[in-house]
Amino acid sequence: MSSAAEQIQSLISAVESDLGIEANAPVGQQAQKQQQKPKAKKPKAPKPTKAPAADPNQPEITKLDIRVGRIVKVWKHETADKLYCEEIDVGEDAPRQIASGLVHHYALEQMQDARVLVLCNLKPRNLVGFRSHGMVMCAAVPLEDGKEKVAFVTPPEGAKVGERITFEGLTGEPFSPAQVEKKKVLMVLGDEMKTDADGVAKWKEHVFSTSAGPCTAPVSNGLIR
């Protein structure tokens, strides 16, 4: 029969084996080996996906980022009589602040909650001290008295806030605000954005379209700006 000391030593050896400790190794060496466990490799973060580059030869209208928006807040500018200040939901984390010269065309109550088209890829600019980032798109036609009839270009019911306006048969990524300004995209488009006799918004023969149908305005043969 083995002695009690031998039995104890056998138990110690079994525990050391379970812990990966070499039998009879110096205590310092045992601790060092325990500390030398392989480090777990950190997973590599995925590389960010680059947005497709805009093509300078794409159709001019596709260089614009026009989206469905909803005016969630509106008030009159403190000092500019013609300006409304708006907060417009265009599907981003926060509403866009935009100023529009529509005081003579819409009552404040008509502006609130209106569904509109917003040109989003413009540089922010100060309009009489108000930082405006985008443009509400309207159709306008001259009247006999020298004034203008101006009205929103509106998306159809069912179009989702934030969705980009498309043009059948045309594709292209929107330009950056800096590119829109540098390439004078709006100037190049000129008077090619307009409503037809039925008030349907078009660029040349291409309709301003959403997932729910075409965009329209209560203005026939009006320039869109």
Side-chain angles (χ1 to χ4, degrees):
M1 292 180 65
S2 58
S3 66
E6 289 174 337
Q7 291 178 357
I8 292 172
Q9 183 59 46
S10 177
L11 288 172
I12 292 172
S13 297
V15 172
E16 288 177 339
S17 177
D18 290 341
L19 295 175
I21 300 173
E22 187 178 340
N24 301 320
V27 174
Q29 184 178 340
Q30 293 172 2
Q32 185 178 5
K33 286 193 174 184
Q34 281 184 299
Q35 292 173 0
Q36 289 178 348
K37 292 180 180 179
K39 295 181 180 179
K41 292 183 179 180
K42 293 182 179 179
K44 291 183 179 180
K47 293 182 179 180
T49 304
K50 290 185 178 180
D55 178 3
N57 299 315
Q58 71 194 63
E60 287 297 322
I61 193 65
T62 65
K63 297 173 184 178
L64 299 183
D65 183 10
I66 305 171
R67 297 186 221 161
V68 175
R70 183 176 72 87
I71 300 175
V72 295
K73 185 178 179 181
V74 59
W75 64 98
K76 285 187 176 181
H77 193 285
E78 291 181 356
T79 57
D81 294 339
K82 296 180 180 180
L83 288 182
Y84 281 125
C85 301
E86 306 119 22
E87 290 185 1
I88 305 180
D89 181 3
V90 291
E92 297 173 332
D93 292 338
R96 292 261 186 136
Q97 287 198 331
I98 296 176
S100 306
L102 295 171
V103 169
H104 296 319
H105 304 286
Y106 284 96
L108 192 68
E109 296 76 17
Q110 293 175 304
M111 296 285 291
Q112 182 65 47
D113 294 319
R115 288 166 56 82
V116 295
L117 298 191
V118 179
L119 178 53
C120 291
N121 55 339
L122 296 177
K123 283 185 175 181
R125 56 180 181 151
N126 285 322
L127 294 178
V128 198
F130 181 81
R131 188 175 185 272
S132 180
H133 191 191
M135 183 176 75
V136 175
M137 304 196 77
C138 294
V141 64
L143 301 175
E144 292 182 359
D145 60 3
K147 296 180 180 179
E148 283 187 318
K149 180 180 180 180
V150 177
F152 293 134
V153 179
T154 57
E157 289 296 327
K160 296 179 181 178
V161 167
E163 74 168 279
R164 188 183 173 205
I165 302 305
T166 59
F167 300 84
E168 187 175 359
L170 305 180
T171 59
E173 292 299 315
F175 273 21
S176 69
Q179 288 174 310
V180 169
E181 183 178 283
K182 182 178 180 180
K183 301 297 183 181
K184 297 180 170 59
V185 175
L186 289 176
M187 187 179 296
V188 173
L189 287 168
D191 59 359
E192 293 178 332
M193 292 190 296
K194 58 180 66 176
T195 57
D196 64 13
D198 297 318
V200 177
K202 293 182 176 180
W203 175 69
K204 297 183 177 180
E205 73 277 13
H206 300 280
V207 174
F208 282 55
S209 299
T210 71
S211 59
C215 301
T216 58
V219 173
S220 299
N221 303 313
L223 292 179
I224 297 174
R225 60 191 188 198

